[in-house]
Amino acid sequence: MTNSIPKATICLWYDRDAEEAAHFYAKTFPDSRIRSVQRAPSDNPSGKKGDVLVVEFTVLGIPCIGINGGPMFKHSEAFSFQVATVDQAETDRYWNAIVGNGGEESQCGWCKDKWGVSWQITPIALTEAMASGDAAEAKRAFEAMMKMKKIDVAEILRARAGK
């Protein structure tokens, strides 16, 4: 039994919507699924016997646990999932899914889902431009990114090329 328990797991605290969040992640991202739903064996400070207490799930192959612990802790940008995208279509698909499901846009490819979890939807084109080794190219791509909310891959490629 212990072989099926991941050695390291990300634990996310939700007020009461861990199962809803896990279902959203599982339908939105590849290599994502719900592994188990555990219910409270008795009443507790944040719920009643039988309420969903813990949801074990995987997001993009990353093992996670969602705990319905009540409203005392909130998510922040200090933790985010960074999702590398191959093109504008994939960038748009993830961004639009998160923002369109009650989330909110932020700057430079960051957005939050409706539960407050932060996501960086980062096209590989941006990462490659920043790591190119050409300081001027990286600066142009960085300056272009700083003006964006959702990353525009074509604009990053133009900036990288100096156009």
Side-chain angles (χ1 to χ4, degrees):
M1 178 81 174
T2 58
N3 287 340
S4 66
I5 297 173
K7 187 74 164 175
T9 302
I10 293 172
C11 183
L12 299 167
W13 184 286
Y14 295 86
D15 182 356
R16 64 184 171 282
D17 299 325
E19 187 175 20
E20 180 186 357
H23 279 287
F24 173 76
Y25 306 147
K27 85 172 188 200
T28 302
F29 299 103
D31 196 17
S32 301
R33 64 185 178 88
I34 295 176
R35 295 191 314 271
S36 74
V37 176
Q38 300 163 20
R39 298 190 176 274
S42 62
D43 290 354
N44 59 77
S46 61
K48 300 285 184 199
K49 178 181 178 179
D51 287 351
V52 172
L53 185 60
V54 174
V55 181
E56 294 182 84
F57 58 99
T58 303
V59 176
L60 294 160
I62 301 168
C64 300
I65 293 175
I67 296 177
N68 284 332
M72 68 270 306
F73 297 117
K74 304 292 182 202
H75 297 286
S76 82
E77 290 81 359
F79 171 87
S80 63
F81 285 97
Q82 185 175 34
V83 181
T85 57
V86 296
D87 57 22
Q88 191 67 53
E90 187 178 26
T91 300
D92 292 348
R93 183 170 57 255
Y94 297 144
W95 182 276
N96 295 341
I98 292 166
V99 172
N101 188 48
E104 62 184 73
E105 296 181 329
S106 190
Q107 293 297 119
C108 306
W110 289 62
C111 57
K112 282 185 188 178
D113 64 29
K114 76 181 201 176
W115 304 280
V117 175
S118 291
W119 297 83
Q120 297 177 59
I121 309 302
T122 308
I124 293 168
L126 174 60
T127 304
E128 289 174 344
M130 297 298 294
S132 71
D134 180 325
E137 184 179 306
K139 181 178 187 261
R140 290 189 305 268
F142 178 78
E143 289 174 350
M145 176 205 62
M146 292 298 292
K147 299 174 188 170
M148 299 177 187
K149 289 188 177 190
K150 176 174 61 175
I151 303 300
D152 180 332
V153 174
E155 185 60 32
I156 293 297
L157 294 174
R158 280 192 290 277
R160 187 173 184 187
K163 297 179 183 176

